[in-house]
Amino acid sequence: MPLYEHVLIARQDLSNAQAEGLIEHFSTVIADNGGKVIENEYWGVRTLAYKINKNRKGHYAFLRSDAPSAAVQEMERLARLHDDVMRVMSIRVDAHEEGPSVQMQKRDERDRGDRGDRGDRGGDRGDRGERRERRERA
């Protein structure tokens, strides 16, 4: 079966228990339609990039699933009809990454990832410092 990753954003005025209840609800929807949820994460209340339905914050949830497309379509349909869910996004992936998602990793663990060495950016101001020195000499 295809692998999917889903992100749900629920209204900010829900309690944490209600938001986690939504995760369980949509996990059972996927399971009832022949799929299985491999992992779920509750990311907590986060600030939105822009207002959605007069809300500035929302409860974020992340699901990794192994499900047929019909199960994902049904889950998305029910999420769009649910009053507490503001947004849902599902992405088909080739493979699930091991361990916690990027949002759940500590900041220092993320920085050590694929970015490589950034020593050339340090305190060096590059060309600006040289121009300033030339102006001061003149």
Side-chain angles (χ1 to χ4, degrees):
M1 282 190 278
L3 303 173
Y4 291 92
E5 292 181 352
H6 316 276
V7 176
L8 297 161
I9 305 175
R11 291 183 308 123
Q12 66 183 355
D13 54 346
L14 297 177
S15 68
N16 290 350
Q18 288 173 318
E20 291 178 2
L22 281 176
I23 297 171
E24 295 302 318
H25 172 69
F26 291 115
S27 296
T28 57
V29 169
I30 289 174
D32 291 345
N33 287 295
K36 67 177 182 177
V37 174
I38 297 169
E39 182 182 359
N40 64 31
E41 294 176 354
Y42 173 66
W43 292 347
V45 178
R46 296 181 177 254
T47 304
L48 301 171
Y50 54 89
K51 283 185 182 180
I52 301 174
N53 300 333
K54 300 181 181 178
N55 290 302
R56 291 186 181 274
K57 294 185 178 190
H59 290 272
Y60 279 70
F62 177 71
L63 302 167
R64 289 182 176 143
S65 68
D66 183 8
S69 63
V72 173
Q73 289 174 350
E74 179 65 11
M75 189 269 303
E76 286 183 339
R77 185 185 74 82
L78 292 174
R80 286 190 175 93
L81 292 174
H82 203 284
D83 291 336
D84 293 333
V85 177
M86 295 188 296
R87 291 284 190 273
V88 62
M89 180 178 68
S90 298
I91 298 173
R92 185 175 175 178
V93 294
D94 293 331
H96 290 301
E97 293 181 12
E98 293 296 320
S101 65
V102 174
Q103 293 292 325
M104 295 300 284
Q105 293 175 1
K106 292 181 181 175
R107 186 170 205 79
D108 58 335
E109 291 175 10
R110 278 186 279 182
D111 290 341
R112 281 186 258 134
D114 299 330
R115 292 180 140 180
D117 184 28
R118 292 188 168 201
D120 60 330
R121 287 190 181 176
D124 183 22
R125 294 280 182 199
D127 197 32
R128 288 188 286 173
E130 293 172 16
R131 284 185 280 175
R132 184 177 300 137
E133 288 175 12
R134 277 188 240 139
R135 273 186 284 156
E136 289 173 359
R137 276 187 258 152

